[in-house]
């Protein structure tokens, strides 16, 4: 797919290609409940290597370098951050947030060096959640509890209200190129007529990353137009550890991921 327009709109032939899993088709209704995706009321497919975030502590306090080496040995490449926290005895301990899939979680849970590994539930609205689509000022949706949300389908007509306008505004104004005006009271007009309903001109899709707690996807930039779908990924031809400083990355090539079929 081509990266959707965000704050700066660019011509379609100038947008970046971006790989995400299509989890919702035109006409579907998606919802995320406690981190689980549902489509039309049924539990959606979950990829075998879907990842979530976990907080990890060690039984014996390691150095940063030792912790880094431990996760490299376990082929855990992404560490969001490291921080110090205090246990019940007031002793400062090294805590780490990682993104791993279920089998890797089971492996780490049974490792004798690990004291605890606990899934992080992103289910409390924070100021950061204001950046979640559709950018409601009174947003109560979170990364792990989102929707329900209808995915527009070509030819379907929806009501335009103060609540639905933020959801469909970018489609109407940008993707389908309509000029919208407002009167002094803030009422919406299209082609000189009150905008109370709108019929979609093309199909739209919902994309999500398999790394559900660390992915820029439709939860942040909304629907993907049909004309932005450009192909299907085939293989990973190059990969490096982006958590390392830039000058170190050339020494952190992830050989186990290169040339792997998708």
């Amino acid at each position: 797919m081509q990266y959707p327009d965000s704050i700066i709109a660019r011509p379609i032939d100038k947008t970046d290609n971006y790989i995400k899993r299509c989890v919702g088709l035109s006409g579907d209704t998606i919802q995320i409940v406690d981190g689980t995706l549902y489509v039309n009321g049924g539990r959606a497919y979950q990829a075998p290597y879907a990842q979530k975030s976990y907080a990890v502590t060690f039984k014996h306090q390691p150095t940063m370098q030792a912790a880094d080496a431990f996760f490299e040995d376990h082929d855990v490449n992404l560490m969001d951050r490291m921080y110090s926290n205090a246990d019940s005895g007031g002793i400062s301990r090294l805590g780490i947030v990682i993104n791993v899939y279920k089998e890797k979680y089971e492996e780490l849970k049974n490792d004798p060096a690990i004291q605890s590994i606990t899934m992080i539930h992103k289910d409390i609205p924070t100021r950061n959640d204001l950046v979640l689509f559709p950018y409601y000022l009174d947003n109560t949706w979170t990364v792990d509890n989102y929707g329900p949300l209808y995915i527009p389908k070509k030819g379907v007509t929806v009501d335009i209200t103060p609540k639905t306008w933020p959801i469909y505004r970018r489609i109407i104004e940008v993707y389908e190129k309509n000029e919208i005006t407002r009167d002094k009271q803030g009422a919406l007009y299209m082609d000189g007529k009150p905008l109370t309903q709108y019929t979609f001109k093309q199909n739209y899709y919902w994309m999500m990353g398999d790394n559900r707690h660390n992915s820029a996807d439709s939860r942040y930039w909304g629907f993907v137009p049909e004309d932005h779908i450009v192909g299907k990924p085939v293989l990973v031809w190059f990969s490096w550890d982006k958590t390392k400083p830039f000058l170190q990355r050339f020494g952190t090539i992830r050989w186990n991921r290169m040339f792997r079929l998708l």
Side-chain angles (χ1 to χ4, degrees):
M1 55 167 278
Q2 293 170 321
Y3 200 90
D5 297 324
S6 53
I7 297 175
I8 301 175
R10 292 181 290 176
I12 289 180
D13 63 348
K14 300 298 182 183
T15 57
D16 298 322
N17 287 332
Y18 203 55
I19 297 176
K20 291 296 170 185
R21 184 181 297 277
C22 179
V23 299
L25 303 177
S26 316
D28 287 342
T29 295
I30 61 99
Q31 184 174 15
I32 303 171
V33 180
D34 195 24
T36 299
L37 174 66
Y38 293 83
V39 179
N40 299 326
R43 188 165 181 162
Y45 167 79
Q46 180 171 308
Y49 292 99
Q51 300 177 43
K52 290 188 177 180
S53 296
Y54 295 83
V56 180
T57 58
F58 291 88
K59 291 180 179 178
H60 302 287
Q61 177 76 319
T63 63
M64 290 281 201
Q65 292 77 13
D68 187 57
F70 173 86
F71 286 110
E72 286 187 2
D73 289 342
H74 284 76
D75 196 25
V76 175
N77 298 306
L78 292 177
M79 287 184 286
D80 279 346
R81 66 181 189 270
M82 295 185 177
Y83 59 91
S84 295
N85 60 349
D87 61 17
S88 58
I91 300 174
S92 180
R93 302 186 66 85
L94 181 67
I96 299 174
V97 176
I98 60 174
N99 293 290
V100 293
Y101 53 91
K102 186 176 181 180
E103 289 184 7
K104 185 63 65 175
Y105 159 77
E106 295 292 342
E107 175 187 322
L108 293 173
K109 183 180 70 172
N110 296 317
D111 191 285
I114 297 295
Q115 175 173 297
S116 66
I117 175 168
T118 308
M119 183 186 296
I120 296 174
H121 294 275
K122 298 188 176 183
D123 55 0
I124 299 176
T126 67
R127 293 190 64 181
N128 288 336
D129 289 324
L130 292 177
V131 302
L132 290 176
F133 178 83
Y135 322 120
Y136 289 131
L137 293 179
D138 60 345
N139 181 45
T140 59
W141 294 359
T142 66
V143 168
D144 275 343
N145 286 285
Y146 188 97
L149 183 66
Y150 171 77
I151 305 172
K153 183 176 183 178
K154 182 178 180 179
V156 170
T157 300
V158 294
D159 292 331
I160 301 300
T161 67
K163 193 68 175 178
T164 62
W165 173 241
I167 297 175
Y168 304 123
R169 176 177 182 175
R170 191 151 195 85
I171 288 178
I172 295 171
E173 290 188 315
V174 178
Y175 296 136
E176 303 196 352
K177 298 179 174 60
N178 296 286
E179 185 173 348
I180 306 301
T181 58
R182 294 175 181 265
D183 62 19
K184 293 181 179 180
Q185 287 72 42
L188 300 170
Y189 288 82
M190 186 175 76
D191 299 328
K193 299 177 181 179
L195 179 59
T196 58
Q197 290 187 321
Y198 185 79
T199 302
F200 301 111
K201 300 175 183 176
Q202 64 174 321
N203 291 318
Y204 292 84
Y205 301 89
W206 193 261
M207 307 291 186
M208 289 178 64
D210 288 343
N211 190 340
R212 293 293 167 82
H213 282 164
N214 190 26
S215 174
D217 55 32
S218 283
R219 290 170 294 181
Y220 295 91
W221 30 253
F223 308 111
V224 178
E226 188 170 35
D227 60 10
H228 280 52
I229 308 297
V230 296
K232 181 179 180 179
V234 177
L235 59 80
V236 176
W237 70 273
F238 186 78
S239 178
W240 63 23
D241 188 349
K242 294 188 293 184
T243 65
K244 303 296 183 183
F246 181 78
L247 294 179
Q248 295 181 17
R249 292 181 189 173
F250 292 99
T252 58
I253 296 175
R254 299 189 288 198
W255 299 101
N256 61 317
R257 297 196 64 190
M258 291 178 62
F259 302 108
R260 189 179 71 184
L261 294 175
L262 298 176

